[in-house]
Each structure stands twice: as C-alpha cells, then as structure tokens.
C-alpha cells in the first residue's frame, strides 16, 4: 500500500476531499505548519497520524524545511501532497522530494501564480479562470502541469463566488491526479515532462461546463 503525506496550513477542504475520495487504499499522515489549522483538528478526529512543524519556531527557512522534511521522511511517503500549504519551500526541500511532490493552485497556471488569484482574475476581467495540479519545482507555483480545470467568470462574481466555483473543481482534479499517482500511471520524467500512462498528458485537461 502506498503512503501519502498531506501538508496543510488551514481549512483543509482539499485534504478532506482526498480522504473521502474513492481512491486505491493508501496510508496517510497529515502535517501542518500552524497548530491551530482547522484541517489538523479534523484529521485528529478521524484518528489519522498528525504532526505540526510550526514555522514560527523555525524562523530560518532552511531549518523549517529540514524539520519538515525529516518529519515527512519518517512516514516514508511515496507522494507528498500540498493541499493549501501556505509556506514557500526551498530548493533543497523540493529537490529532495522531486517527482513525488504535488501542489494545487487556484488559477490556470502559468497565469496568476502567488496569492489573491481570484481577485486578480476579476480585476483583469478574464472570462475563464480555474485551477491547476502540478508537480512542484523550485520556482513558486510553477512546475509541470498534471491537470487543470477551467470555470467561467460570471458577470456578478465576487472574489468569494469565484473562489467557491474554482474550489468545486479543485475537489475534482486533485483526487484525480492522486488516483493516477496511486495507480502508478503518473510520472515526472528527469527532463520535467509529465507522463500519464507513459504518454504526454496533453489530453488531461478538464473543462467544467459553462453553467
Ligand atoms: C485552495 O484554494 C488551494 O488551491 C490553495 O489554498 C486553498 C486551500 O483550501 N492553495 P483548503 O485548505 O484545501 O480548503
């Protein structure tokens, strides 16, 4: 059985979706960087192994990354899933977990890396927005794309309404990407290409209906 470590910072809705999805069985541990993260309380209630590596007690980034990496390694994960994990991870960390580190980002990357993606999309007047699951590379919110989902931006949208529409799609594409990984169908090549069943994943794009 494969082992997954999920990293969270807050609410943990993507984590919950992964825990509840109909996926091949896996062992799981949840690690947070904020002791008060709602998602950590939920994971504890479910009886899952949890740990906190508090970034405030590791003010030097490299120290935080090293402590986090050591905790992750203690679970011997096949896959590390960033699910609303709001810390930037350094190059050494990312290299240590290369090819087994996935992130979900609430935009159609490479558009809108970083924070406040929905507000920026609204301010720009884009008509299509969405979310992306990608393998993590040392650059922020950058890295080989596994799957994306697009949603329409509607006339009366607010940041919250757009975020909610995108989140619904996040909850579809993250379990899909993790399923591919658990089924040994998803790989990252040494030269940074994503392969699904040994092929380029150019077809692995989900576009939500315009309604
Ligand atoms: C999601 O929108 C995710 O894409 C972003 O942070 C949010 C986390 O939500 N990185 P949750 O904690 O999974 O509910």
């Amino acid at each position: 059985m494969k082992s997954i470590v999920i990293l969270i910072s807050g609410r943990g809705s993507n984590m919950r979706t992964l825990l509840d999805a109909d996926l091949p069985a896996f062992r799981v541990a949840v690690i947070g960087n904020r002791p008060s993260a709602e998602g950590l309380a939920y994971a504890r209630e479910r009886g899952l192994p949890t740990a906190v590596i508090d970034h405030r007690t590791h003010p030097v980034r490299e120290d935080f990354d090293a402590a986090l990496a050591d905790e992750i390694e203690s679970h011997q994960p096949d896959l590390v899933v960033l699910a609303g994990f709001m810390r930037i991870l350094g190059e050494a960390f990312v290299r240590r977990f290369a090819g087994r580190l996935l992130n979900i980002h609430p935009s159609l990357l490479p558009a809108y890396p970083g924070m406040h993606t929905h507000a920026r999309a609204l301010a720009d007047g884009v008509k299509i927005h969405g979310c992306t699951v990608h393998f993590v590379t040392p650059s922020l919110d950058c890295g080989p794309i596994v799957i994306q989902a697009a949603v329409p931006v509607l006339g009366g949208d607010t940041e919250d309404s757009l975020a909610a529409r995108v989140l619904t799609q996040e909850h579809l594409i993250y379990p899909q990407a993790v399923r591919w990984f658990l089924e040994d169908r998803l790989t990252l090549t040494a030269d940074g290409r994503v392969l699904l069943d040994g092929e380029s994943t150019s077809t692995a794009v989900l576009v939500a209906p315009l309604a």
Side-chain angles (χ1 to χ4, degrees), residues 111-127:
Y112 307 118
M115 303 286 284
H116 309 299
T117 55
H118 309 306
R120 288 154 63 204
L122 285 173
D124 285 347
V126 299
K127 301 302 178 201

Side-chain angles (χ1 to χ4, degrees), residues 2 79 99-100 102 133-135 144-147 174 176-189 193-199 201 204:
K2 285 196 168 39
L79 179 65
R100 51 184 177 134
L102 288 178
V133 175
H134 64 97
F135 281 103
I145 291 172
V146 174
I147 183 169
Y174 221 177
Q176 175 65 80
V178 170
R179 165 181 293 284
W180 285 330
F181 194 94
L182 290 172
E183 292 175 345
D184 287 323
R185 298 174 60 194
L186 182 66
T187 45
L188 180 66
T189 64
R193 286 173 305 124
V194 174
L195 300 182
L196 180 64
D197 297 329
E199 308 276 347
T201 60

Side-chain angles (χ1 to χ4, degrees), residues 6 8 11-23 26 28 39 42 46 48 81 83 104 166-179 182:
I6 304 178
I8 62 168
R11 170 179 68 178
S13 72
N14 276 289
M15 173 200 74
R16 288 169 74 143
T17 305
L18 290 169
L19 296 175
D20 291 338
D22 182 21
L23 295 173
F26 59 91
V28 67
Y42 176 81
R46 282 184 67 143
L48 302 175
V81 173
I104 189 155
V166 170
L167 192 65
T168 303
Q169 298 303 312
E170 293 184 39
H171 293 167
L172 294 176
I173 66 172
Y174 221 177
Q176 175 65 80
V178 170
R179 165 181 293 284
L182 290 172

Side-chain angles (χ1 to χ4, degrees), residues 106-108 118 121 126-131 148-154 157 161-170 172-173 206-211:
S107 77
L108 290 173
H118 309 306
V126 299
K127 301 302 178 201
I128 296 177
H129 188 44
C131 49
Q148 294 183 302
V151 301
V153 180
L154 303 179
D157 264 337
S161 66
L162 185 54
R165 191 174 308 120
V166 170
L167 192 65
T168 303
Q169 298 303 312
E170 293 184 39
L172 294 176
I173 66 172
L206 183 77
V207 178
L210 288 175

